[in-house]
Amino acid sequence: MRLAIFILFLVVLHLFPGETFAAGSWTFRSGDALPGDPVSFDFEKKTVTVLNPLTGKSTVVPTKNLSVRSRQRLLFSPLFHRGDRDDPLWPEVKRRLLLRALIVPCLVLFAGFWVSGWVFGKKFNPVLAVIGFIGSWAIAAIFTICYAFLKMRLEGGLAMTLVGVGFTLIFTPLFVSAVYGCNYLRGVAVFSFHLIAGLSILSIGMVAIETVAGKEKVDAWWSTEVFEPLGLMASPSGVSFTPPGTGSGAT
């Protein structure tokens, strides 16, 4: 029964991936594809320069004309962070958004750990999930910091990195198996599949929100609560661009 529920998560994710998680090229709000890939971001004008690799032509596109998915990609792109050179210290609004951005994935991953512990560890107890989730990630973080320090001090290469990854993958499932009172293989399964379960829960939640609220409200929320406070999106001055098929654009 528990395994069937876990598989159901993956099936729903596959059947209803949602626009937010759909893989693909950079797109306009209308759904049309951009004529190339972004190569730079102008933080003052809130525009991206798109280079067409076939023709070599550049197109300036206001970020407000991009789809939510493309703006999310741009938000995590080095192009956006290299464009903000005015203030090296983040203002309060950015720090609050960063805190929210850390809290949400942690809650989703914890939910995935709880589901994975129920399926593979055969324990539904949320207290065990809290202990296993925090403890396993703490162990992984400690090993990561230690081997990053050793690699820097000893100038280690790929071999030392693989050793660090190997020890992390050995001792973290041992801790999980001790918490859940199961064998080592089940501990590996709990720790490994909680990432998949977390991604499934996040994806299904985003699909449900978009379905219930509608794309326009989701777009408006991302714009006012995330993109505009971070400086990704605003009304550009003196720049206009019309998506392909609806008029002429600036090049």
Side-chain angles (χ1 to χ4, degrees):
M1 179 62 182
R2 289 168 293 195
L3 185 58
I5 295 176
F6 184 77
I7 294 175
L8 180 62
F9 270 119
L10 302 182
V11 172
V12 173
L13 176 63
H14 176 73
L15 294 178
F16 306 101
E19 181 182 353
T20 304
F21 290 89
S25 61
W26 296 80
T27 56
F28 292 101
R29 299 181 70 169
S30 62
D32 296 323
L34 265 67
D37 292 321
V39 293
S40 65
F41 173 75
D42 191 319
F43 196 84
E44 294 182 357
K45 295 182 178 180
K46 314 301 181 187
T47 59
V48 291
T49 300
V50 180
L51 177 64
N52 191 325
L54 299 178
T55 63
K57 293 183 178 181
S58 298
T59 304
V60 178
V61 183
T63 53
K64 68 176 184 178
N65 288 354
L66 298 177
S67 64
V68 175
R69 170 59 173 164
S70 294
R71 275 177 274 162
Q72 289 171 341
R73 291 180 63 183
L74 182 61
L75 184 65
F76 293 97
S77 170
L79 298 177
F80 169 69
H81 297 283
R82 285 200 299 262
D84 186 8
R85 299 179 181 273
D86 295 335
D87 188 2
L89 298 177
W90 276 25
E92 181 65 22
V93 62
K94 288 188 176 182
R95 291 196 293 268
R96 288 199 304 266
L97 285 174
L98 177 61
L99 181 61
R100 295 177 187 175
L102 293 176
I103 290 176
V104 172
C106 288
L107 293 177
V108 172
L109 284 176
F110 167 71
F113 197 97
W114 191 0
V115 172
S116 186
W118 180 35
V119 173
F120 297 100
K122 297 183 178 181
K123 300 289 178 60
F124 188 75
N125 191 339
V127 176
L128 294 180
V130 171
I131 297 173
F133 176 72
I134 296 177
S136 59
W137 278 102
I139 292 174
I142 291 172
F143 274 103
T144 300
I145 294 173
C146 290
Y147 278 93
F149 175 78
L150 290 176
K151 184 179 180 180
M152 180 180 62
R153 296 286 296 181
L154 302 178
E155 297 182 355
L158 179 61
M160 180 167 289
T161 301
L162 294 176
V163 170
V165 172
F167 273 103
T168 302
L169 295 178
I170 290 173
F171 286 100
T172 303
L174 277 177
F175 174 81
V176 175
S177 62
V179 170
Y180 278 94
C182 57
N183 58 45
Y184 178 74
L185 292 179
R186 287 188 178 274
V188 172
V190 171
F191 184 75
S192 300
F193 283 94
H194 90 277
L195 300 173
I196 301 176
L199 178 61
S200 301
I201 293 173
L202 179 62
S203 302
I204 293 172
M206 294 296 291
V207 172
I209 291 173
E210 185 173 300
T211 302
V212 174
K215 293 183 179 180
E216 293 184 359
K217 290 186 178 180
V218 172
D219 189 328
W221 184 90
W222 276 96
S223 298
T224 57
E225 298 294 332
V226 180
F227 299 137
E228 292 177 5
L230 290 179
L232 175 76
M233 177 181 167
S235 299
S237 58
V239 178
S240 62
F241 182 84
T242 305
T246 59
S248 59
T251 58

